[in-house]
Amino acid sequence: MNQSKRISRTILTHAAWLAALAACGTADAAATKVELKKSGDNYQLIREGQPYFIEGAGGDASKPFLKECGGNSFRTWGAEDIDAKLDEAQKLGLTVTVGIWLGHERHGFDYNSVKQVREQKERARQAVMKYKDHPAVLMWAIGNEMEGYAEADNELIYEAVEDIAKMIKELDPNHPTMSVFAEVGGKRVPLFHKLCPSVDVMGINSYGGGPSIAERYRAAGGTKPFIMTEYGPAGTWEVGKNEWGAPQELTSTAKADQYRATYEKTILAEKDKLCLGGYAFTWGNKQEASATWFGLFMPDGSRLEATDTMTELWGGNKPANRCPQIKPVEVVGAARVEPGETIKAKVDVTDPEGDPLKIEWRLTKDYGEYQTGGDAQVSPPSFPDAIVKNGEREVELKMPTDGGAYWLYAVVHDDHNGAAVANTSLYVNGDAAKPAAAKANLPLVVYADSQPTVPYIPSGWMGNTDAIAMEERNTNNPHSGTTSMKFTYRASDNFGGVVWQSPANDWGDLPGGFNLTGAKRLSFWARGEEGGEKVEFKLGILKDKPFNDSSESGIAPVTLTKDWKEYEIDLTGKDLSTIKTGFVWTLAGQGKPVTFYLDDIRFE
């Protein structure tokens, strides 16, 4: 134990000793001192007495490979059950910027609610107390794009951030604080500087605008140090659209150039000035707009050229064997055709070392979900039978009969785990058939502790929505793990409810949902704050919409008790081929506010 924190049992009662020990963190932990050094208008991070410049990434791909590529740090977006990540980082000599997730208004968090804000602060306190003495911790990142988009002028959000940062300063003198924002537009920079004096660093997520961040940040009044907390290729919102509205995705080779531009023109150019380093996004792969838009890796784990670029930038040397380089897919003739027509396309790809290359063409549906805010997306169906000729630099496709947009990918692999990818958008005239929902693997968990992705989002609020408050990670007496969901309906009359949707905020106008065929029941645990609360639970409520639920089911209103109790909705014999609203609760006003909790929601 740190000598300054040693506690004598001889002068404290046992209860007081336990409380004091908890306040000091783990008994044998050894925090690593990290601080900001200011010289004039410039800044440096100092770790263990030495300058420390962040050269890291955010994402869940291999951390040993991150180290091998020359990275020294990674970030998390939340602090739930990150013990293994911190321990791995320590063994590898990496550091971790620990994220403390803050609620988003678009997900239903209400910064006008004193109770919600207070409970959120308590969760932050618990995270800090749990991990502050881990030697891999570099700093705290309070929230991620919680200010929303557009003007970002809700001062209550900045005040909540400041309140948490001020608390962290009292609890943990060894690590700086940061808060992460979506770009630097609107009121972000001035409100951050005015209302968040206890936050040391501004985290900035920027994609297409990454190379100009330093100039724009200073122009907006930025004087505090900043970190590029997410950077990469131009986003779907920053590129041109074709005639049917599909964004034009860059090749993996062109994306590598964009990573380089942000690193050289902002991160490296501002080193030892205002920039403390950066985290490339994403150290992994994700489905967002397309299967390949964001990510330094392919889904199979093979690395893309941007990974080679970051290796060079972080370590100063190019990898011994580099990824293939690819040019845009070129459609021979029209990219918009009638159902069942043939399309031809070609791609030009080379390998720096002349390695043999394997080319695969893939066709998938494009559902047009381009503005997601980072929410999880379901991978669309693919059409392998549409590829008439595969494995060569030219491809011939017989397009599906269903109308609508499609993505055509050229995926290239060398024999050293390197890859390249380019795609183009195609379109089939005519009505688009209702797409099949993605087949779910059972059990499908709707809510549980530390769930990395969620199939359904509790984004559909009904009735007197101003009276509804939601806390996604409440720590008060969960059924299992460390958290449960807490809901409060503050009105005494009218009604309210919340719908878990796929995709988020959709009431049947977009494709999505899951094929849950084979599920026999939807089970969940619930309890009331006082007992006696009457709540109705169901699923599958969308009817007479372009994209319906295939079936509705539920149970009669139940009267909750103060103790956890398991409930289930029988799904036997139901058509579960498309369930877009995976869980719903509703209640009528009961003459006073109603508070209840949910946990362990799953299809089985």
Side-chain angles (χ1 to χ4, degrees):
M1 177 184 285
N2 187 307
Q3 291 295 318
S4 65
K5 295 180 180 178
R6 182 172 292 144
I7 301 164
S8 172
R9 300 190 196 195
T10 61
I11 60 173
L12 295 176
T13 66
H14 182 63
W17 176 79
L18 288 175
L21 184 61
C24 293
T26 306
D28 57 358
T32 302
K33 180 71 174 179
V34 182
E35 56 190 336
L36 276 173
K37 177 183 176 182
K38 189 174 188 291
S39 177
D41 294 331
N42 302 324
Y43 293 86
Q44 280 184 319
L45 270 183
I46 304 297
R47 183 174 185 264
E48 294 186 297
Q50 299 297 318
Y52 189 89
F53 192 66
I54 299 170
E55 300 196 301
D60 291 329
S62 168
K63 297 311 184 295
F65 188 60
L66 175 64
K67 176 75 172 182
E68 182 182 332
C69 291
N72 63 8
S73 186
F74 63 92
R75 65 174 289 217
T76 72
W77 281 258
E80 288 79 24
D81 297 327
I82 60 171
D83 304 74
K85 292 182 178 182
L86 289 170
D87 291 344
E88 182 183 29
Q90 177 65 11
K91 290 177 182 177
L92 292 169
L94 302 174
T95 64
V96 183
T97 288
V98 178
I100 297 174
W101 186 260
L102 299 188
H104 289 208
E105 290 180 302
R106 69 188 184 89
H107 289 160
F109 193 90
D110 183 5
Y111 281 90
N112 290 290
S113 169
V114 173
K115 191 173 184 181
Q116 283 192 60
V117 171
R118 183 174 63 243
E119 290 172 343
Q120 178 171 259
K121 179 182 177 181
E122 172 59 19
R123 292 196 302 278
R125 186 194 70 81
Q126 292 178 17
V128 172
M129 293 305 300
K130 183 174 182 180
Y131 295 119
K132 68 185 180 68
D133 292 323
H134 197 291
V137 172
L138 181 68
M139 65 172 58
W140 305 100
I142 307 167
N144 184 82
E145 301 187 358
M146 64 284 145
E147 83 283 5
Y149 307 106
E151 286 299 301
D153 56 358
N154 185 350
E155 296 190 5
L156 293 176
I157 296 176
Y158 297 84
E159 291 170 1
V161 169
E162 165 62 17
D163 194 35
I164 291 172
K166 187 175 180 181
M167 173 190 68
I168 292 176
K169 293 289 189 185
E170 297 172 354
L171 297 174
D172 179 14
N174 291 315
H175 302 104
T177 57
M178 174 171 68
S179 192
V180 179
F181 296 84
E183 262 283 348
V184 295
K187 300 292 183 63
R188 289 169 178 81
V189 176
L191 287 182
F192 172 73
H193 283 70
K194 174 184 176 183
L195 300 176
C196 300
S198 300
V199 185
D200 302 305
V201 181
M202 185 168 189
I204 303 171
N205 296 342
S206 180
Y207 291 88
S212 63
I213 278 294
E215 178 183 355
R216 292 186 291 119
Y217 177 63
R218 292 176 186 273
T223 57
K224 288 187 178 185
F226 70 89
I227 294 171
M228 292 297 294
T229 37
E230 290 179 19
Y231 66 96
T236 57
W237 58 96
E238 298 173 305
V239 299
K241 308 291 193 299
N242 65 16
E243 62 177 285
W244 50 87
Q248 298 170 333
E249 183 174 348
L250 296 174
T251 68
S252 56
T253 295
K255 290 175 185 177
D257 292 338
Q258 294 205 333
Y259 280 93
R260 181 185 295 276
T262 294
Y263 185 89
E264 292 180 342
K265 294 180 180 181
T266 290
I267 297 174
L268 190 60
E270 284 288 322
K271 183 179 180 181
D272 297 332
K273 297 177 183 178
L274 284 188
C275 187
L276 305 176
Y279 291 98
F281 184 85
T282 174
W283 193 254
N285 176 268
K286 67 178 298 192
Q287 168 72 39
E288 186 170 347
S290 80
T292 55
W293 202 289
F294 298 102
L296 290 141
F297 298 84
M298 290 295 291
D300 63 4
S302 53
R303 74 189 194 282
L304 293 166
E305 192 171 347
T307 306
D308 289 354
T309 296
M310 297 317 304
T311 300
E312 176 190 348
L313 295 171
W314 290 334
N317 296 306
K318 295 180 179 180
N321 187 280
R322 291 174 290 163
C323 291
Q325 297 179 332
I326 194 168
K327 293 184 178 179
V329 171
E330 181 182 344
V331 178
V332 181
R336 183 168 187 160
V337 298
E338 297 301 319
E341 267 195 60
T342 296
I343 288 181
K344 293 183 179 180
K346 58 184 180 180
V347 68
D348 185 1
V349 60
T350 58
D351 188 87
E353 292 78 32
D355 293 335
L357 298 176
K358 178 182 177 182
I359 301 175
E360 180 185 2
W361 294 88
R362 303 174 186 171
L363 184 71
T364 71
K365 190 67 177 167
D366 174 13
Y367 286 150
E369 297 177 34
Y370 308 133
Q371 306 289 346
T372 69
D375 292 337
Q377 284 186 322
V378 177
S379 296
S382 60
F383 302 88
D385 294 341
I387 310 296
V388 177
K389 184 174 64 173
N390 209 339
E392 301 179 25
R393 294 170 190 257
E394 296 186 1
V395 66
E396 182 178 316
L397 310 93
K398 184 177 181 181
M399 294 300 290
T401 57
D402 295 338
Y406 294 81
W407 288 116
L408 174 64
Y409 299 87
V411 181
V412 183
H413 286 88
D414 65 14
D415 56 357
H416 287 79
N417 201 40
V421 63
N423 70 13
T424 192
S425 178
L426 306 176
Y427 196 89
V428 174
N429 292 325
D431 294 333
K434 184 176 180 180
K439 186 67 173 74
N441 294 319
L442 299 174
L444 182 71
V445 178
V446 177
Y447 178 88
D449 246 10
S450 304
Q451 196 172 345
T453 60
V454 290
Y456 296 98
I457 309 296
S459 53
W461 292 31
M462 304 185 297
N464 184 4
T465 57
D466 290 340
I468 300 172
M470 177 178 72
E471 185 178 330
E472 294 186 80
R473 299 290 175 185
N474 181 270
T475 57
N476 178 26
N477 183 27
H479 169 253
S480 66
T482 58
T483 65
S484 64
M485 297 193 80
K486 177 181 179 181
F487 292 94
T488 299
Y489 182 70
R490 296 187 290 257
S492 60
D493 57 3
N494 209 318
F495 85 99
V498 172
V499 182
W500 275 248
Q501 299 170 309
S502 171
N505 303 302
D506 174 59
W507 294 95
D509 297 312
L510 296 173
F514 291 87
N515 180 350
L516 296 165
T517 300
K520 301 301 181 186
R521 68 173 192 156
L522 171 63
S523 66
F524 60 96
W525 290 77
R527 71 176 179 88
E529 182 75 63
E530 300 176 352
E533 298 86 353
K534 293 181 173 60
V535 187
E536 183 176 5
F537 300 100
K538 49 191 170 182
L539 67 128
I541 65 170
L542 295 179
K543 302 175 182 178
D544 301 323
K545 297 291 291 183
F547 298 96
N548 291 333
D549 285 297
S550 57
S551 184
E552 181 177 10
S553 192
I555 54 178
V558 299
T559 301
L560 302 178
T561 67
K562 293 182 66 174
D563 297 321
W564 286 105
K565 181 178 178 181
E566 185 178 26
Y567 299 89
E568 71 171 62
I569 298 175
D570 184 10
L571 302 177
T572 304
K574 298 290 184 177
D575 178 3
L576 304 177
S577 57
T578 303
I579 299 299
K580 286 177 52 63
T581 53
F583 190 68
V584 182
W585 68 258
T586 61
L587 59 81
Q590 296 168 29
K592 61 179 180 179
V594 173
T595 297
F596 66 98
Y597 302 81
L598 295 170
D599 206 350
D600 296 320
I601 309 169
R602 67 191 69 214
F603 289 91
E604 301 173 299

